[in-house]
Amino acid sequence: MSSVTKGAPIKGAVSASSATPVGKEESRVVSNFIRQIIDADNASGKHGGKVITRFPPEPNGYLHIGHAKSICLNFGLAKDYAGVCHLRFDDTNPVKEDIEYEESIKEMVQWLGFSFKDHLFYASDYFDTLYAFAQHFIERGLAYVDSQSAEEMRVNRGTLTEPGVDSPFRNRSAEESLRLFDEMKRGLHADGTHILRLKIDMASPNINLRDPAIYRIRHTGHHRTGNKWCVYPMYDYTHCISDALERITHSLCTLEFEAHRPLYDWVLERLVESGKLPAPNPQQIEFARLNLSYTVMSKRKLLELVEKGYVDGWDDPRFWTLAGLRRRGFTPASIRLFAERAGVSKAHQWIDMGDLERALRDDLDAVAARGMAVLDPIRVVIENYPEGQFEECSAPVHPHDESRGKRSFKFCREVFIERDDFMENPVKGFFRLVPGGEVRLRHAFIIKCERIEKDAEGNVTTIYASYDPATKSGTGGRNVKGAIHWVGKADGIQAEVRLYDRLFNVENPDAGEGDYKDYLNPHSLKLVRAWLEPSLASARPDQSYQFERNGYFTPDRKLSQPGALVFNRAVTLKDGWKPV
Ligand code: ATP
Ligand code: MG
């Protein structure tokens, strides 16, 4: 558990981005303890120089940013060592699993840029083998059917300080256990009446070795095996055998499985011993989970947020699910960059949300097309510019890449500027538009505020201005200190823009006294009606734009339509996010 207090800065939160060159994904390889193990294995020839890793999700939820770390690590190592990485669905719990989850997991792994074409596996494909191996364990006197109730089993398991107590069924003959196991399989017994356990050591200081359950009765259909089975193998038993059957060399998992490793090895060693599996066994290696500030990672909590409608589905753009991040406008490259910077270690890892946002900016700055959009428009009438006329203006699609050409838009009598680019009573150091003052409309002319009009409440409704025709951008005329973005009414388009704040208003929603949901931020979504320059009319989801001075935006893949665009702001331009 983390020692983070709610609202307080997270101790030990690392900002790993400083050492990284901006604007491109790292290509240099940073060594870590897992690479050192692989290098040593390659040097000794342990696995014949092969590297086969796997990403083994349970299809019981959508992938989140923590999974992305594991995906990038497993697929990344396979790539760097010219090996392969398997995508394996750990689909042993028919009650919680669903084809919808499976499909979304496949889609997201591919979206991240990884291929599992000929390396897609399912634990359920091993059900026959797992069953046969279980019979083998019974025959060797290494497993037995236990008929205690769940409550008796729980009590007899002991505690961290007290050894467990042998089940009265522990010395059941192999014949009897085999018969009962067969009856369990044939559906003759109800859920919970019998369970198959390994016979290891009820007094072991490691609770995982106190005769762990490996098969239970579940009269439930499975989304892949249908009604074939009513006994299902448990996770620990399935996982190590699946790894071994696929000849995984390095089985990477998160730290909470460290105490399960002796069980992993116990099962595999016995199967190798009796010639059921070839040596050497895969090596389980544990690394620290990724935790991200302002989020919760538990699948149960993510499901609750979805089911109770706190978010708008699994792909809500405020969510740190990969589907949500994609919809928000995060790119695969930015997530790979983030995972790379987060690194791998055995120490508890809290990463600041700002690091994820920085990775996106670092990716997009070099690639995103530019555009102007006014998010909180105020009308400016340029009185010395004739009605019905316009002046063609242009700007580069990308300021550092001329080959991408130019975008154009029309300067005209009526334009929109950002409400907070005008101040009636300016504070010191405000260089934008003020009464009687001048400002440059980017890529166009200098204008001067002549007078303003207000409504009954005193809000400015229209700014009346004049322009200086001798100041068109690029013609070498005079300049002024401030330059602001704008959109002309002649060719501007209107769109809905969604501005997001963090979903929680404390850094660690799990560490507070109350329920994590008490810390939901009620102001995490703000909709605005914006004016956009015409080049943005052709924007499509999966394309990112920098709206000058406002951040990075992308059309919403669910809601945006040609002619009725809806943009999400993925991230602001500067670090140090401020509430919207
Ligand atoms: P649960 O097992 O409780 O359903 P889980 O988050 O472990 O949840 P899995 O589907 O088992 O979900 O995860 C697949 C893989 O992703 C596992 O190998 C797991 O170790 C890894 N993983 C999950 N969460 C994180 C995280 N926050 N950081 C790094 N790796 C993670
Ligand atoms: Mg898991």
Side-chain angles (χ1 to χ4, degrees):
M1 281 305 283
S2 120
S3 59
V4 177
T5 44
K6 72 183 156 66
I10 290 177
K11 254 208 252 137
V14 289
S15 177
S17 60
S18 50
T20 307
V22 166
K24 56 174 178 297
E25 219 170 328
E26 282 99 312
S27 52
R28 73 202 154 88
V29 169
V30 182
S31 191
N32 58 48
F33 76 98
I34 298 178
R35 286 179 182 275
Q36 284 161 11
I37 295 172
I38 296 177
D39 290 340
D41 288 347
N42 283 348
S44 73
K46 182 177 172 192
H47 299 283
K50 281 200 184 129
V51 174
I52 309 177
T53 55
R54 85 287 169 269
F55 173 64
E58 255 177 84
N60 63 353
Y62 277 63
L63 296 178
H64 55 57
I65 187 71
H67 293 115
K69 171 172 170 171
S70 178
I71 295 169
C72 293
L73 177 63
N74 280 293
F75 280 91
L77 285 170
K79 189 168 155 234
D80 290 348
Y81 284 92
V84 287
C85 178
H86 297 184
L87 172 62
R88 182 201 313 140
F89 285 105
D90 241 316
D91 54 350
T92 50
N93 184 354
V95 182
K96 290 193 182 160
E97 291 158 8
D98 198 283
I99 192 82
E100 176 198 341
Y101 297 135
E102 201 181 296
E103 289 307 318
S104 83
I105 289 170
K106 286 197 240 169
E107 191 184 349
M108 285 301 120
V109 171
Q110 283 169 319
W111 177 70
L112 275 180
F114 299 110
S115 163
F116 48 85
K117 225 174 28 198
D118 302 319
H119 310 289
L120 174 62
F121 299 89
Y122 295 84
S124 55
D125 285 345
Y126 310 133
F127 281 173
D128 286 310
T129 308
L130 290 162
Y131 185 84
F133 285 176
Q135 287 175 313
H136 170 75
F137 277 109
I138 301 174
E139 283 159 8
R140 282 182 64 190
L142 296 174
Y144 61 98
V145 171
D146 195 351
S147 309
Q148 295 182 96
S149 69
E151 177 58 15
E152 285 164 334
M153 275 187 54
R154 194 188 59 74
V155 171
N156 290 339
R157 191 175 295 125
T159 64
L160 285 175
T161 49
E162 295 281 316
V165 175
D166 284 1
S167 161
F169 302 97
R170 197 170 197 263
N171 292 319
R172 213 167 221 169
S173 69
E175 290 70 34
E176 192 183 355
S177 280
L178 279 173
R179 178 180 53 77
L180 283 168
F181 191 40
D182 178 62
E183 289 174 8
M184 286 160 63
K185 178 189 172 208
R186 288 192 288 127
L188 304 183
H189 298 285
D191 286 12
T193 51
H194 303 284
I195 202 156
L196 185 68
R197 299 178 78 175
L198 292 176
K199 195 187 276 190
I200 307 183
D201 179 6
M202 286 305 291
S204 171
N206 183 344
I207 292 186
N208 296 299
L209 295 180
R210 292 185 190 166
D211 292 7
I214 60 168
Y215 258 95
R216 62 184 163 182
I217 306 173
R218 275 279 156 96
H219 287 268
T220 310
H222 182 280
H223 76 279
R224 293 194 75 246
T225 58
N227 291 323
K228 178 173 175 193
W229 296 93
C230 55
V231 287
Y232 290 96
M234 309 283 281
Y235 177 82
D236 277 332
Y237 174 73
T238 310
H239 192 78
C240 56
I241 294 175
S242 306
D243 278 352
L245 291 172
E246 291 173 20
R247 304 310 302 145
I248 299 299
T249 56
H250 301 86
S251 174
L252 315 180
C253 61
T254 41
L255 276 180
E256 66 276 18
F257 289 101
E258 197 164 19
H260 297 239
R261 182 162 18 103
L263 172 58
Y264 184 104
D265 292 339
W266 189 96
V267 170
L268 295 187
E269 276 160 20
R270 268 143 202 85
L271 290 168
V272 169
E273 219 169 69
S274 50
K276 298 275 175 196
L277 288 173
N281 288 324
Q283 181 178 354
Q284 177 177 306
I285 306 169
E286 306 86 16
F287 65 94
R289 256 174 199 270
L290 177 127
N291 295 298
L292 189 64
S293 64
Y294 296 96
T295 72
V296 293
M297 288 290 180
S298 141
K299 277 188 194 163
R300 184 183 58 76
K301 290 176 184 166
L302 299 187
L303 184 64
E304 186 181 19
L305 291 171
V306 172
E307 284 186 337
K308 295 195 175 157
Y310 292 104
V311 292
D312 167 31
W314 285 102
D315 62 354
D316 186 304
R318 291 164 297 183
F319 235 176
W320 43 94
T321 53
L322 295 183
L325 290 170
R326 172 172 68 168
R327 192 171 154 202
R328 168 93 166 240
F330 278 76
T331 57
S334 70
I335 292 174
R336 292 195 302 264
L337 179 60
F338 169 74
E340 179 83 35
R341 287 172 175 176
V344 220
S345 79
K346 286 225 178 234
H348 243 32
Q349 195 177 33
W350 270 98
I351 307 269
D352 191 75
M353 178 68 95
D355 280 11
L356 181 60
E357 296 167 345
R358 252 189 301 287
L360 182 62
R361 286 187 202 105
D362 289 350
D363 176 41
L364 288 183
D365 181 47
V367 293
R370 280 16 181 200
M372 290 196 288
V374 177
L375 304 184
D376 185 8
I378 183 167
R379 195 167 82 109
V380 180
V381 177
I382 297 155
E383 291 177 299
N384 62 342
Y385 195 85
E387 223 158 320
Q389 279 192 32
F390 59 83
E391 173 97 16
E392 206 67 59
C393 299
S394 69
V397 171
H398 194 284
H400 308 305
D401 185 358
E402 269 182 33
S403 71
R404 293 179 66 177
K406 291 197 177 279
R407 40 187 242 264
S408 51
F409 34 84
K410 294 177 170 56
F411 176 79
C412 54
R413 183 177 166 92
E414 213 174 299
V415 305
F416 298 96
I417 66 167
E418 218 62 77
R419 184 164 289 276
D420 65 7
D421 279 337
F422 173 78
M423 266 187 126
E424 191 180 359
N425 302 300
V427 294
K428 202 166 167 263
F430 185 83
F431 295 119
R432 290 164 279 160
L433 197 59
V434 301
E438 286 186 321
V439 77
R440 172 171 296 282
L441 297 183
R442 280 188 163 207
H443 318 298
F445 297 92
I446 293 174
I447 61 165
K448 179 179 178 190
C449 169
E450 303 290 353
R451 63 198 162 86
I452 56 177
E453 198 172 82
K454 296 185 186 180
D455 63 16
E457 278 101 57
N459 301 311
V460 179
T461 50
T462 307
I463 295 170
Y464 292 93
S466 59
Y467 89 114
D468 179 349
T471 57
K472 192 169 182 190
S473 285
T475 57
R478 69 187 178 92
N479 223 342
V480 288
K481 234 174 184 170
I484 61 176
H485 60 276
W486 60 281
V487 171
K489 197 176 177 186
D491 63 352
I493 53 172
Q494 283 189 283
E496 179 179 303
V497 174
R498 301 180 151 223
L499 306 174
Y500 300 101
D501 195 350
R502 289 169 187 176
L503 190 63
F504 291 102
N505 48 31
V506 295
E507 285 191 318
N508 185 358
D510 280 324
E513 269 134 46
D515 183 83
Y516 76 100
K517 296 191 293 303
D518 297 346
Y519 307 110
L520 280 163
N521 173 6
H523 308 294
S524 54
L525 168 63
K526 185 177 165 187
L527 306 184
V528 298
R529 194 88 198 133
W531 278 92
L532 274 48
E533 69 167 62
S535 72
L536 295 166
S538 58
R540 294 290 173 268
D542 289 327
Q543 294 175 335
S544 301
Y545 294 85
Q546 186 192 102
F547 289 0
E548 295 184 19
R549 299 174 66 226
N550 271 322
Y552 291 100
F553 294 74
T554 201
D556 188 290
R557 53 190 302 111
K558 248 188 186 166
L559 306 173
S560 195
Q561 302 280 340
L565 295 173
V566 178
F567 277 86
N568 292 318
R569 175 155 69 189
V571 68
T572 52
L573 272 192
K574 286 203 195 74
D575 218 351
W577 119 108
K578 59 173 187 237
V580 290

